Amino acid sequence: MSYFSYKNDILHAENVALDAIAQQFGSPTYVYSKAALTANFSAYADACRQHSPAPDSSLICYSVKSNSNLAVLQLLSRLGSGFDIVSGGELLRVIAAGGDPRKVIFSGVGKSREEMRLALSHDILCFNVESIPELHRLNEAAAAMGKRAAISLRVNPNVDAKTHPYISTGLKENKFGVAYEDALACYRTAAVLPHIEVAGIDCHIGSQLLDDAPLLEALDKLIDLVDQLASEGIHLHHLDIGGGIGITYDDEKPVAIGSYLGRLFARIDAWRQDKYQGAPIKVLFEPGRSIVGNAGILLTEIQYLKHSEAKNFAIVDAAMNDLMRPAMYEAWHGVQTVARRNSAEQVYDVVGPVCESGDWLARSRPLAVEAGDLLALMSAGAYGMTMSSNYNTRGRAAEVMVDGEQVHLIRQRENPADLFALESLLA
Ligand code: LLP
């Protein structure tokens, strides 16, 4: 079900017309649907309850990098979410949003000492460690604070996620995790470090996966490792399968969350029963895109129409600095006119004002539009605002969250003067 739909030929977010939002908050503006966010999170939560009913036997750790607005984090935290973070800054956001640091896992290949100290001081659930030097640094940081750091090793299962090479992370040539073949030796090292507590195992093989077969293949490889570790007396409390489930941008048909979790828990249960007589190993997930991606759009206004011999351009007030994905991955986002026109369509490239040929948001789209019309760039809730920049000294867009008939401003538009407030002139 889409929470963005036409009513009387005007595109709405839930029950609010998008032209009214542009009028009140200006353009460009990211618009999120609270009902969509809630439904997407609930797809995970319901499947966990159904397939893994034992208390505390699963945890959904929303991947903050996909959309880190405080109101989004607050909503998910209230729904019971934990969080997957990749920086000290993201931890501070989670805390500012009312999230529970004890439900936070910390991923990433380059954690600094300062970030480790911050996370240790808040007693986060687990560090997803990605290398031996990181393990030693964490051991030292924990020792200096008189603590023990709970860790998972992020294992690289060498599984092909069959997605865009920039967002595939589980192959040997990727910088992420420790190689599958080295994992046992790494665990042995971790097990004897006095300020490290071995808690789990983790992997994340890529993003925008449409099929769950690579994830189930990775799961099998993790399970084999857990068994080998157990035979050496290293017992793990949790298994973290990462995020990665894709969404529909165009006509993709991603696996349904419920079916994926059903298959995953069936596999885990068979193993738990076989080897551990049902002893619950907790299962963690790190979804991002599948929770926020289709819950947000980027609203933008056409400034000019430009017709050249080769092409027609719709020049809008949003740009690559607001939505990087097309320029960076040639990503496809649907374009919908906010008000439907009956005039004939022409084929347009939708481009922004930034001085780069790569500044395009959509190519070759049939649109019936005039200057001044509003467009919605669809499925922009994930990796939209979080990847935005101030290139060309453009203030970042406003963000609003719609809840039924109500609209909440959840981030003010950046004022250009704010953009150079931290800079200084020479004496
Ligand atoms: N866990 C880890 C360790 C990750 O690196 C990521 C995403 C996730 C979880 C969440 O994955 P998701 O469920 O969202 O697929 N900027 C790119 C996507 C980069 C993904 C990075 N890692 C894009 O716009 O497509």
Side-chain angles (χ1 to χ4, degrees):
M1 155 167 190
S2 176
Y3 295 85
F4 298 91
S5 59
Y6 286 96
K7 291 174 189 146
N8 299 325
D9 284 336
I10 301 287
L11 190 59
H12 283 59
E14 301 190 22
N15 297 326
V16 180
L18 290 175
D19 52 359
I21 292 181
Q23 206 156 29
Q24 187 175 356
F25 300 99
S27 168
T29 292
Y30 275 98
V31 182
Y32 309 116
S33 153
K34 186 179 173 209
L37 284 165
T38 305
N40 294 341
F41 181 82
S42 302
Y44 280 93
D46 294 348
C48 283
R49 259 192 297 276
Q50 184 186 342
H51 298 293
S52 189
D56 209 28
S57 63
S58 64
L59 181 65
I60 302 151
C61 293
Y62 166 69
S63 185
V64 174
K65 67 170 83 75
S66 58
N67 187 320
S68 59
N69 184 286
L70 293 191
V72 171
L73 303 182
Q74 176 194 36
L75 172 66
L76 294 173
S77 162
R78 284 181 179 168
L79 294 171
S81 190
F83 298 95
D84 167 49
I85 61 162
V86 288
S87 71
E90 286 190 347
L91 176 57
L92 294 175
R93 276 184 178 276
V94 167
I95 293 167
D100 182 354
R102 285 161 310 168
K103 288 187 185 173
V104 166
I105 52 177
F106 193 167
S107 306
V109 295
K111 300 174 194 81
S112 70
R113 289 188 182 85
E114 212 178 359
E115 288 176 318
M116 288 175 173
R117 281 195 288 269
L118 178 71
L120 284 165
S121 73
H122 287 284
D123 296 321
I124 66 163
L125 179 63
C126 188
F127 289 83
N128 289 345
V129 170
E130 305 219 15
S131 67
I132 291 286
E134 183 192 334
L135 196 56
H136 288 294
R137 179 182 277 190
L138 183 59
N139 184 54
E140 282 162 26
M145 296 171 73
K147 296 201 170 207
R148 286 185 87 199
I151 65 116
S152 266
L153 279 185
R154 175 165 177 183
V155 175
N156 187 335
N158 198 27
V159 165
D160 185 356
K162 299 189 178 66
T163 182
H164 191 289
Y166 284 16
I167 50 179
S168 178
T169 48
L171 281 173
K172 269 190 177 157
E173 57 262 37
N174 296 128
K175 69 177 175 182
F176 301 99
V178 299
Y180 191 78
E181 301 70 33
D182 302 336
L184 278 178
C186 292
Y187 270 108
R188 288 181 199 123
T189 305
V192 295
L193 289 174
H195 293 276
I196 295 292
E197 184 193 325
V198 174
I201 189 164
D202 155 57
C203 77
H204 172 79
I205 59 172
S207 200
Q208 185 54 13
L209 275 62
L210 299 177
D211 183 7
D212 57 8
L215 285 160
L216 297 173
E217 190 185 332
L219 173 69
D220 282 341
K221 289 188 140 185
L222 292 196
I223 284 178
D224 279 351
L225 267 180
V226 178
D227 285 342
Q228 288 179 54
L229 287 166
S231 72
E232 295 195 14
I234 301 174
H235 297 281
L236 303 187
H237 308 291
H238 75 245
L239 185 159
D240 175 352
I241 192 69
I245 294 294
I247 61 167
T248 304
Y249 286 97
D250 185 5
D251 53 6
E252 304 91 336
K253 297 212 167 28
V255 59
I257 304 302
S259 327
Y260 160 51
L261 264 64
R263 279 189 281 274
L264 182 116
F265 279 115
R267 176 75 188 89
I268 289 176
D269 283 342
W271 162 65
R272 281 174 180 165
Q273 243 126 60
D274 181 28
K275 292 267 173 47
Y276 300 94
Q277 284 79 49
I281 187 164
K282 186 168 176 162
V283 182
L284 270 53
F285 301 92
E286 304 173 359
R289 189 190 315 263
S290 50
I291 291 180
V292 282
N294 279 325
I297 60 120
L298 176 58
L299 184 60
T300 184
E301 187 189 282
I302 300 178
Q303 302 299 299
Y304 305 101
L305 295 181
K306 191 166 172 175
H307 305 276
S308 73
E309 207 177 305
K311 283 210 174 215
N312 300 314
F313 295 100
I315 303 170
V316 297
D317 61 2
M320 65 188 290
N321 75 296
D322 299 299
L323 181 63
M324 263 289 249
R325 304 191 69 257
M328 195 153 167
Y329 317 112
E330 302 203 339
W332 192 99
H333 285 265
V335 179
Q336 296 192 13
T337 52
V338 169
R340 276 183 174 147
R341 284 185 185 283
N342 290 326
S343 47
E345 290 179 336
Q346 281 186 289
V347 174
Y348 286 96
D349 279 11
V350 179
V351 301
V354 163
C355 303
E356 300 263 357
S357 298
D359 179 27
W360 57 274
L361 298 170
R363 283 181 168 155
S364 303
R365 303 301 172 84
L367 295 168
V369 287
E370 288 178 12
D373 283 2
L374 294 165
L375 298 178
L377 287 144
M378 308 306 290
S379 310
Y383 307 107
M385 187 62 169
T386 48
M387 288 174 70
S388 66
S389 78
N390 292 123
Y391 190 36
N392 283 203
T393 307
R394 290 169 49 83
R396 283 186 181 78
E399 291 176 291
V400 302
M401 194 182 296
V402 171
D403 178 11
E405 276 83 36
Q406 292 186 334
V407 188
H408 303 278
L409 179 64
I410 58 171
R411 182 184 168 120
Q412 289 177 32
R413 182 176 310 288
E414 267 174 4
N415 170 353
D418 296 342
L419 305 187
F420 47 85
L422 298 177
E423 298 173 28
S424 344
L425 296 169
L426 295 175

PDB file of all heavy atoms in Angstrom, residues 63 65-66 84 107 154 167 204 206-208 242-245 249 286-290 325 329 382-383 387, ligand 1:
ATOM      1  N   SER A  63      18.842   0.900  10.893  1.00  0.00           N
ATOM      2  CA  SER A  63      20.129   1.442  10.440  1.00  0.00           C
ATOM      3  C   SER A  63      20.019   2.962  10.270  1.00  0.00           C
ATOM      4  O   SER A  63      19.427   3.459   9.310  1.00  0.00           O
ATOM      5  CB  SER A  63      20.497   0.765   9.116  1.00  0.00           C
ATOM      6  OG  SER A  63      21.768   1.178   8.725  1.00  0.00           O
ATOM      7  N   LYS A  65      21.888   5.336   9.418  1.00  0.00           N
ATOM      8  CA  LYS A  65      22.427   6.067   8.269  1.00  0.00           C
ATOM      9  C   LYS A  65      21.401   6.268   7.162  1.00  0.00           C
ATOM     10  O   LYS A  65      21.537   7.171   6.357  1.00  0.00           O
ATOM     11  CB  LYS A  65      23.667   5.350   7.710  1.00  0.00           C
ATOM     12  CG  LYS A  65      23.371   4.010   7.075  1.00  0.00           C
ATOM     13  CD  LYS A  65      24.573   3.468   6.340  1.00  0.00           C
ATOM     14  CE  LYS A  65      25.547   2.764   7.248  1.00  0.00           C
ATOM     15  NZ  LYS A  65      25.096   1.421   7.689  1.00  0.00           N
ATOM     16  N   SER A  66      20.382   5.430   7.111  1.00  0.00           N
ATOM     17  CA  SER A  66      19.433   5.559   5.999  1.00  0.00           C
ATOM     18  C   SER A  66      18.551   6.794   6.147  1.00  0.00           C
ATOM     19  O   SER A  66      18.180   7.413   5.153  1.00  0.00           O
ATOM     20  CB  SER A  66      18.592   4.288   5.851  1.00  0.00           C
ATOM     21  OG  SER A  66      17.896   4.010   7.041  1.00  0.00           O
ATOM     22  N   ASP A  84      21.261   0.589  14.686  1.00  0.00           N
ATOM     23  CA  ASP A  84      22.579   0.273  14.147  1.00  0.00           C
ATOM     24  C   ASP A  84      23.226   1.597  13.762  1.00  0.00           C
ATOM     25  O   ASP A  84      22.689   2.324  12.925  1.00  0.00           O
ATOM     26  CB  ASP A  84      22.404  -0.632  12.918  1.00  0.00           C
ATOM     27  CG  ASP A  84      23.676  -0.758  12.094  1.00  0.00           C
ATOM     28  OD1 ASP A  84      24.729  -1.033  12.692  1.00  0.00           O
ATOM     29  OD2 ASP A  84      23.621  -0.587  10.865  1.00  0.00           O
ATOM     30  N   SER A 107      28.493  -0.379  14.110  1.00  0.00           N
ATOM     31  CA  SER A 107      29.193  -0.957  12.958  1.00  0.00           C
ATOM     32  C   SER A 107      30.185   0.046  12.391  1.00  0.00           C
ATOM     33  O   SER A 107      30.195   1.217  12.782  1.00  0.00           O
ATOM     34  CB  SER A 107      28.187  -1.326  11.850  1.00  0.00           C
ATOM     35  OG  SER A 107      27.171  -2.157  12.335  1.00  0.00           O
ATOM     36  N   ARG A 154      32.251  -8.806  12.636  1.00  0.00           N
ATOM     37  CA  ARG A 154      31.564  -8.747  11.349  1.00  0.00           C
ATOM     38  C   ARG A 154      32.327  -9.643  10.394  1.00  0.00           C
ATOM     39  O   ARG A 154      33.469  -9.382  10.038  1.00  0.00           O
ATOM     40  CB  ARG A 154      31.527  -7.326  10.811  1.00  0.00           C
ATOM     41  CG  ARG A 154      30.918  -7.285   9.413  1.00  0.00           C
ATOM     42  CD  ARG A 154      30.548  -5.893   9.024  1.00  0.00           C
ATOM     43  NE  ARG A 154      30.032  -5.843   7.671  1.00  0.00           N
ATOM     44  CZ  ARG A 154      29.697  -4.722   7.065  1.00  0.00           C
ATOM     45  NH1 ARG A 154      29.820  -3.586   7.691  1.00  0.00           N
ATOM     46  NH2 ARG A 154      29.233  -4.748   5.837  1.00  0.00           N
ATOM     47  N   ILE A 167      27.104  -0.810  -3.491  1.00  0.00           N
ATOM     48  CA  ILE A 167      26.383  -1.117  -2.254  1.00  0.00           C
ATOM     49  C   ILE A 167      26.410  -2.613  -1.951  1.00  0.00           C
ATOM     50  O   ILE A 167      25.604  -3.133  -1.205  1.00  0.00           O
ATOM     51  CB  ILE A 167      24.937  -0.554  -2.262  1.00  0.00           C
ATOM     52  CG1 ILE A 167      24.189  -0.941  -3.532  1.00  0.00           C
ATOM     53  CG2 ILE A 167      24.949   0.945  -2.098  1.00  0.00           C
ATOM     54  CD1 ILE A 167      22.744  -0.434  -3.572  1.00  0.00           C
ATOM     55  N   HIS A 204      26.787  -8.223   7.023  1.00  0.00           N
ATOM     56  CA  HIS A 204      25.875  -7.392   6.230  1.00  0.00           C
ATOM     57  C   HIS A 204      26.428  -7.461   4.822  1.00  0.00           C
ATOM     58  O   HIS A 204      27.548  -7.025   4.572  1.00  0.00           O
ATOM     59  CB  HIS A 204      25.852  -5.943   6.738  1.00  0.00           C
ATOM     60  CG  HIS A 204      25.085  -5.035   5.825  1.00  0.00           C
ATOM     61  ND1 HIS A 204      23.713  -4.969   5.802  1.00  0.00           N
ATOM     62  CD2 HIS A 204      25.516  -4.191   4.854  1.00  0.00           C
ATOM     63  CE1 HIS A 204      23.328  -4.115   4.873  1.00  0.00           C
ATOM     64  NE2 HIS A 204      24.401  -3.614   4.280  1.00  0.00           N
ATOM     65  N   GLY A 206      25.082  -6.410   1.756  1.00  0.00           N
ATOM     66  CA  GLY A 206      24.791  -5.427   0.713  1.00  0.00           C
ATOM     67  C   GLY A 206      23.410  -4.852   0.898  1.00  0.00           C
ATOM     68  O   GLY A 206      22.701  -5.205   1.841  1.00  0.00           O
ATOM     69  N   SER A 207      23.051  -3.971  -0.014  1.00  0.00           N
ATOM     70  CA  SER A 207      21.804  -3.224   0.133  1.00  0.00           C
ATOM     71  C   SER A 207      20.982  -3.358  -1.141  1.00  0.00           C
ATOM     72  O   SER A 207      21.508  -3.695  -2.195  1.00  0.00           O
ATOM     73  CB  SER A 207      22.180  -1.763   0.385  1.00  0.00           C
ATOM     74  OG  SER A 207      21.125  -1.060   0.963  1.00  0.00           O
ATOM     75  N   GLN A 208      19.669  -3.058  -1.023  1.00  0.00           N
ATOM     76  CA  GLN A 208      18.739  -3.156  -2.163  1.00  0.00           C
ATOM     77  C   GLN A 208      18.757  -4.575  -2.744  1.00  0.00           C
ATOM     78  O   GLN A 208      18.754  -4.786  -3.956  1.00  0.00           O
ATOM     79  CB  GLN A 208      19.053  -2.062  -3.206  1.00  0.00           C
ATOM     80  CG  GLN A 208      18.103  -1.951  -4.404  1.00  0.00           C
ATOM     81  CD  GLN A 208      16.619  -1.786  -4.023  1.00  0.00           C
ATOM     82  OE1 GLN A 208      16.265  -1.516  -2.893  1.00  0.00           O
ATOM     83  NE2 GLN A 208      15.724  -1.962  -4.977  1.00  0.00           N
ATOM     84  N   GLY A 242      22.303  -8.518   9.625  1.00  0.00           N
ATOM     85  CA  GLY A 242      22.444  -7.264   8.872  1.00  0.00           C
ATOM     86  C   GLY A 242      21.125  -6.785   8.287  1.00  0.00           C
ATOM     87  O   GLY A 242      20.048  -7.262   8.652  1.00  0.00           O
ATOM     88  N   GLY A 243      21.237  -5.839   7.380  1.00  0.00           N
ATOM     89  CA  GLY A 243      20.038  -5.302   6.704  1.00  0.00           C
ATOM     90  C   GLY A 243      20.044  -5.749   5.265  1.00  0.00           C
ATOM     91  O   GLY A 243      20.488  -6.843   4.963  1.00  0.00           O
ATOM     92  N   GLY A 244      19.550  -4.899   4.387  1.00  0.00           N
ATOM     93  CA  GLY A 244      19.746  -5.150   2.962  1.00  0.00           C
ATOM     94  C   GLY A 244      18.526  -5.384   2.109  1.00  0.00           C
ATOM     95  O   GLY A 244      18.630  -5.342   0.882  1.00  0.00           O
ATOM     96  N   ILE A 245      17.359  -5.674   2.714  1.00  0.00           N
ATOM     97  CA  ILE A 245      16.187  -5.951   1.869  1.00  0.00           C
ATOM     98  C   ILE A 245      15.819  -4.685   1.070  1.00  0.00           C
ATOM     99  O   ILE A 245      15.763  -3.583   1.605  1.00  0.00           O
ATOM    100  CB  ILE A 245      14.998  -6.423   2.731  1.00  0.00           C
ATOM    101  CG1 ILE A 245      15.304  -7.783   3.366  1.00  0.00           C
ATOM    102  CG2 ILE A 245      13.714  -6.498   1.902  1.00  0.00           C
ATOM    103  CD1 ILE A 245      15.444  -8.934   2.393  1.00  0.00           C
ATOM    104  N   TYR A 249      11.508   0.785  -6.443  1.00  0.00           N
ATOM    105  CA  TYR A 249      11.675   2.136  -6.969  1.00  0.00           C
ATOM    106  C   TYR A 249      10.866   2.274  -8.254  1.00  0.00           C
ATOM    107  O   TYR A 249      10.202   3.257  -8.485  1.00  0.00           O
ATOM    108  CB  TYR A 249      13.155   2.428  -7.254  1.00  0.00           C
ATOM    109  CG  TYR A 249      13.977   2.662  -6.007  1.00  0.00           C
ATOM    110  CD1 TYR A 249      14.726   1.638  -5.440  1.00  0.00           C
ATOM    111  CD2 TYR A 249      13.984   3.898  -5.383  1.00  0.00           C
ATOM    112  CE1 TYR A 249      15.475   1.854  -4.294  1.00  0.00           C
ATOM    113  CE2 TYR A 249      14.726   4.125  -4.235  1.00  0.00           C
ATOM    114  CZ  TYR A 249      15.473   3.103  -3.695  1.00  0.00           C
ATOM    115  OH  TYR A 249      16.204   3.321  -2.558  1.00  0.00           O
ATOM    116  N   GLU A 286      19.407  -5.400  10.882  1.00  0.00           N
ATOM    117  CA  GLU A 286      19.837  -3.999  10.738  1.00  0.00           C
ATOM    118  C   GLU A 286      19.182  -3.357   9.515  1.00  0.00           C
ATOM    119  O   GLU A 286      19.878  -2.854   8.628  1.00  0.00           O
ATOM    120  CB  GLU A 286      21.361  -3.932  10.572  1.00  0.00           C
ATOM    121  CG  GLU A 286      22.167  -4.589  11.667  1.00  0.00           C
ATOM    122  CD  GLU A 286      23.673  -4.635  11.349  1.00  0.00           C
ATOM    123  OE1 GLU A 286      24.096  -4.173  10.266  1.00  0.00           O
ATOM    124  OE2 GLU A 286      24.423  -5.122  12.197  1.00  0.00           O
ATOM    125  N   PRO A 287      17.869  -3.337   9.409  1.00  0.00           N
ATOM    126  CA  PRO A 287      17.248  -2.799   8.196  1.00  0.00           C
ATOM    127  C   PRO A 287      17.234  -1.272   8.168  1.00  0.00           C
ATOM    128  O   PRO A 287      17.079  -0.628   9.207  1.00  0.00           O
ATOM    129  CB  PRO A 287      15.815  -3.328   8.281  1.00  0.00           C
ATOM    130  CG  PRO A 287      15.552  -3.446   9.743  1.00  0.00           C
ATOM    131  CD  PRO A 287      16.875  -3.791  10.400  1.00  0.00           C
ATOM    132  N   GLY A 288      17.413  -0.721   7.007  1.00  0.00           N
ATOM    133  CA  GLY A 288      17.325   0.731   6.834  1.00  0.00           C
ATOM    134  C   GLY A 288      16.328   1.066   5.739  1.00  0.00           C
ATOM    135  O   GLY A 288      15.190   1.435   5.991  1.00  0.00           O
ATOM    136  N   ARG A 289      16.765   0.837   4.488  1.00  0.00           N
ATOM    137  CA  ARG A 289      15.967   1.216   3.324  1.00  0.00           C
ATOM    138  C   ARG A 289      14.536   0.667   3.360  1.00  0.00           C
ATOM    139  O   ARG A 289      13.599   1.375   3.025  1.00  0.00           O
ATOM    140  CB  ARG A 289      16.670   0.702   2.064  1.00  0.00           C
ATOM    141  CG  ARG A 289      16.076   1.212   0.772  1.00  0.00           C
ATOM    142  CD  ARG A 289      16.668   0.467  -0.431  1.00  0.00           C
ATOM    143  NE  ARG A 289      18.089   0.300  -0.375  1.00  0.00           N
ATOM    144  CZ  ARG A 289      18.980   1.091  -0.977  1.00  0.00           C
ATOM    145  NH1 ARG A 289      18.575   2.090  -1.726  1.00  0.00           N
ATOM    146  NH2 ARG A 289      20.270   0.848  -0.858  1.00  0.00           N
ATOM    147  N   SER A 290      14.384  -0.608   3.765  1.00  0.00           N
ATOM    148  CA  SER A 290      13.048  -1.211   3.720  1.00  0.00           C
ATOM    149  C   SER A 290      12.115  -0.584   4.755  1.00  0.00           C
ATOM    150  O   SER A 290      10.900  -0.770   4.687  1.00  0.00           O
ATOM    151  CB  SER A 290      13.145  -2.729   3.928  1.00  0.00           C
ATOM    152  OG  SER A 290      13.937  -3.020   5.070  1.00  0.00           O
ATOM    153  N   ARG A 325      21.544  10.158  -4.981  1.00  0.00           N
ATOM    154  CA  ARG A 325      21.521   8.791  -5.498  1.00  0.00           C
ATOM    155  C   ARG A 325      21.583   8.702  -7.022  1.00  0.00           C
ATOM    156  O   ARG A 325      22.319   7.882  -7.553  1.00  0.00           O
ATOM    157  CB  ARG A 325      20.306   8.026  -4.949  1.00  0.00           C
ATOM    158  CG  ARG A 325      20.239   8.008  -3.419  1.00  0.00           C
ATOM    159  CD  ARG A 325      19.205   7.042  -2.866  1.00  0.00           C
ATOM    160  NE  ARG A 325      19.596   5.675  -3.110  1.00  0.00           N
ATOM    161  CZ  ARG A 325      19.079   4.903  -4.046  1.00  0.00           C
ATOM    162  NH1 ARG A 325      18.084   5.347  -4.795  1.00  0.00           N
ATOM    163  NH2 ARG A 325      19.540   3.688  -4.238  1.00  0.00           N
ATOM    164  N   TYR A 329      24.788   6.721  -8.188  1.00  0.00           N
ATOM    165  CA  TYR A 329      24.582   5.319  -8.590  1.00  0.00           C
ATOM    166  C   TYR A 329      23.751   5.186  -9.856  1.00  0.00           C
ATOM    167  O   TYR A 329      23.294   4.084 -10.170  1.00  0.00           O
ATOM    168  CB  TYR A 329      23.829   4.534  -7.507  1.00  0.00           C
ATOM    169  CG  TYR A 329      24.250   4.771  -6.090  1.00  0.00           C
ATOM    170  CD1 TYR A 329      23.405   5.421  -5.199  1.00  0.00           C
ATOM    171  CD2 TYR A 329      25.484   4.321  -5.622  1.00  0.00           C
ATOM    172  CE1 TYR A 329      23.768   5.624  -3.887  1.00  0.00           C
ATOM    173  CE2 TYR A 329      25.851   4.524  -4.309  1.00  0.00           C
ATOM    174  CZ  TYR A 329      24.991   5.173  -3.446  1.00  0.00           C
ATOM    175  OH  TYR A 329      25.352   5.374  -2.152  1.00  0.00           O
ATOM    176  N   ALA A 382      15.014   6.956   2.070  1.00  0.00           N
ATOM    177  CA  ALA A 382      16.269   6.349   2.542  1.00  0.00           C
ATOM    178  C   ALA A 382      17.441   6.892   1.740  1.00  0.00           C
ATOM    179  O   ALA A 382      17.383   6.941   0.513  1.00  0.00           O
ATOM    180  CB  ALA A 382      16.210   4.827   2.393  1.00  0.00           C
ATOM    181  N   TYR A 383      18.508   7.261   2.418  1.00  0.00           N
ATOM    182  CA  TYR A 383      19.733   7.750   1.786  1.00  0.00           C
ATOM    183  C   TYR A 383      19.459   8.974   0.918  1.00  0.00           C
ATOM    184  O   TYR A 383      20.122   9.197  -0.092  1.00  0.00           O
ATOM    185  CB  TYR A 383      20.417   6.619   0.978  1.00  0.00           C
ATOM    186  CG  TYR A 383      20.635   5.372   1.800  1.00  0.00           C
ATOM    187  CD1 TYR A 383      19.857   4.225   1.605  1.00  0.00           C
ATOM    188  CD2 TYR A 383      21.586   5.361   2.810  1.00  0.00           C
ATOM    189  CE1 TYR A 383      20.040   3.091   2.388  1.00  0.00           C
ATOM    190  CE2 TYR A 383      21.772   4.228   3.601  1.00  0.00           C
ATOM    191  CZ  TYR A 383      20.995   3.098   3.378  1.00  0.00           C
ATOM    192  OH  TYR A 383      21.179   1.981   4.158  1.00  0.00           O
ATOM    193  N   MET A 387      22.379  11.753   2.848  1.00  0.00           N
ATOM    194  CA  MET A 387      23.525  11.889   1.937  1.00  0.00           C
ATOM    195  C   MET A 387      23.594  13.282   1.323  1.00  0.00           C
ATOM    196  O   MET A 387      24.399  13.528   0.419  1.00  0.00           O
ATOM    197  CB  MET A 387      23.446  10.836   0.829  1.00  0.00           C
ATOM    198  CG  MET A 387      23.738   9.429   1.331  1.00  0.00           C
ATOM    199  SD  MET A 387      23.469   8.169   0.059  1.00  0.00           S
ATOM    200  CE  MET A 387      24.825   8.492  -1.050  1.00  0.00           C
TER     201      MET A 387
HETATM  202  N1  LLP B   1      24.060  -2.519   8.313  1.00  0.00           N
HETATM  203  C1  LLP B   1      25.226  -2.102   7.779  1.00  0.00           C
HETATM  204  C2  LLP B   1      26.476  -2.515   8.418  1.00  0.00           C
HETATM  205  C3  LLP B   1      25.222  -1.311   6.633  1.00  0.00           C
HETATM  206  O1  LLP B   1      26.379  -0.917   6.106  1.00  0.00           O
HETATM  207  C4  LLP B   1      23.997  -0.918   6.036  1.00  0.00           C
HETATM  208  C5  LLP B   1      23.962  -0.070   4.858  1.00  0.00           C
HETATM  209  C6  LLP B   1      22.801  -1.353   6.649  1.00  0.00           C
HETATM  210  C7  LLP B   1      22.876  -2.158   7.773  1.00  0.00           C
HETATM  211  C8  LLP B   1      21.434  -0.985   6.118  1.00  0.00           C
HETATM  212  O2  LLP B   1      21.198  -1.562   4.879  1.00  0.00           O
HETATM  213  P1  LLP B   1      19.760  -1.406   4.172  1.00  0.00           P
HETATM  214  O3  LLP B   1      18.760  -2.211   4.964  1.00  0.00           O
HETATM  215  O4  LLP B   1      19.416   0.030   4.138  1.00  0.00           O
HETATM  216  O5  LLP B   1      19.982  -1.968   2.818  1.00  0.00           O
HETATM  217  N2  LLP B   1      23.700   4.909  -0.044  1.00  0.00           N
HETATM  218  C9  LLP B   1      23.305   3.694  -0.695  1.00  0.00           C
HETATM  219  C10 LLP B   1      23.107   2.568   0.297  1.00  0.00           C
HETATM  220  C11 LLP B   1      24.319   2.310   1.158  1.00  0.00           C
HETATM  221  C12 LLP B   1      24.102   1.229   2.168  1.00  0.00           C
HETATM  222  C13 LLP B   1      25.175   1.234   3.182  1.00  0.00           C
HETATM  223  N3  LLP B   1      25.025   0.265   4.227  1.00  0.00           N
HETATM  224  C14 LLP B   1      22.049   3.960  -1.504  1.00  0.00           C
HETATM  225  O6  LLP B   1      21.591   5.084  -1.540  1.00  0.00           O
HETATM  226  O7  LLP B   1      21.537   3.060  -2.156  1.00  0.00           O
END
